[in-house]
Amino acid sequence: MGFVQGDATQSPTTPATASTASMGPACDSPRLNAVERLHERDVADTYRWLEDDRSAECGAWLDDQAEKYERHRATWRGRTAWAVRLSEAFVQGSRLAPLSSPPVWRGRRRFFAQASAGRELAALMVADGDEEARVLLDPLLVDSTGRTTLDAWRPSPTGRLVACQLSHQGDERPWLQTLDERGRQTGAPLRPGRMTPVAWLADDKGFYYLTTSAGGGRQVRLHQIGADPGSDPEVFTTDLPHLSVVTAPGGPLIMITAAPGATSGNVLWLAPLPDRPGHRLHPIQIHDGTGDGSRAALKFAPDGSIYAITDSAAPTGDCAAWIPTGRTPRYGTPWSPRPAGASFPTVRC
């Protein structure tokens, strides 16, 4: 893959453009003379420079587009009346059917996101038992302009803490903030670089999350509550770009899965958590589907059982192994899909 003409790093040039009576030039955006060879086809990528939203050129382009939009919006007829009608419909609709996510339970405590009547952004709510729900995190209190959103959240195993990921103005690089049960910050925010899974330790003392190295590799790090995020140790790394981690609820195990693409076969590892937090993980590879395109995952059940799910030799998926409660997985022992109609094979210790 490479450029066959032009260069993505060159200075953009401005072509002649058409204009309209109301807005002036319809498109005076600089274009790169860049073409990439993808799947035996030449694909032009003339606006690649706009992908760097932190560059001065992109910032100037956004400011120019915003000015043009405001100038054109002033010419719209009936805008005020239309805004009133939309506002009335929105308030009435949210009152009749408030938007709410399914609850996530931790003991008798439940967490859910809800957009109440008249609100454009959902707030994170928490309720203990039969008590009335209270607001744990309101994005509008973080940023009254409404440009900061709550993208993801995950309670700790006991429900005493919640890891929340927030972003500003659609940025795909959210910050990760941990809150206690009263909504108070427990330390400095983390900057993982992009959205990350959060895999809590069973004792609420920390969680595993993902970062990207300077070379583009993916890393698993451990953050201990209250510690400086800059000192979070790297405990696992891979060159595969799609990485995820899950810890077993109440158990000393962690599943790591990685893949070269979003829909390609994956590699699956299982590792015992180290006795001392921060030590590197020593996972054992139990599946590699990068050759045949097969995928596999472990499902940790609340009772401690572990189910191994794979589509290897089973296009619609199959439960390939079952580890009963209290058993220890036999690391390094590959599974094979069970024959049709057979019972779940047990991975023996």
Side-chain angles (χ1 to χ4, degrees), residues 7-15 28-34 45-50 55 57-58:
D7 185 346
T9 62
Q10 71 187 56
S11 299
T13 58
T14 305
D28 55 2
S29 304
R31 299 181 182 182
L32 291 175
N33 184 27
D45 195 2
T46 56
Y47 295 110
R48 174 170 291 185
W49 60 277
L50 282 173
S55 69
E57 293 82 2
C58 183

Side-chain angles (χ1 to χ4, degrees), residues 5 25 121 149 158 220 296 307 311-312:
Q5 61 177 345
L121 299 177
T149 58
T158 67
V220 179
Y307 294 88
D311 61 4
S312 177

Side-chain angles (χ1 to χ4, degrees), residues 195-318:
M195 189 82 75
T196 175
V198 172
W200 282 96
L201 298 177
D203 57 8
D204 285 12
K205 292 183 178 180
F207 54 80
Y208 293 97
Y209 68 103
L210 308 181
T211 59
T212 302
S213 68
R218 299 289 279 156
Q219 303 163 323
V220 179
R221 293 184 181 273
L222 174 66
H223 177 68
Q224 293 181 275
I225 302 302
D228 176 12
S231 62
D232 288 349
E234 173 194 327
V235 297
F236 179 82
T237 186
T238 178
D239 291 332
L240 297 174
H242 294 267
L243 181 64
S244 185
V245 292
V246 177
T247 47
L253 296 172
I254 183 171
M255 179 192 75
I256 304 173
T257 178
T263 59
S264 58
N266 72 321
V267 182
L268 177 66
W269 296 271
L270 183 65
L273 296 181
D275 294 332
R276 299 183 62 183
H279 284 202
R280 286 192 65 85
L281 300 175
H282 297 286
I284 301 298
Q285 180 179 302
I286 57 177
H287 175 79
D288 185 351
T290 55
D292 61 8
S294 63
R295 301 183 65 83
L298 298 177
K299 301 296 183 180
F300 298 116
D303 66 357
S305 299
I306 305 174
Y307 294 88
I309 311 298
T310 183
D311 61 4
S312 177
T316 59
D318 200 358

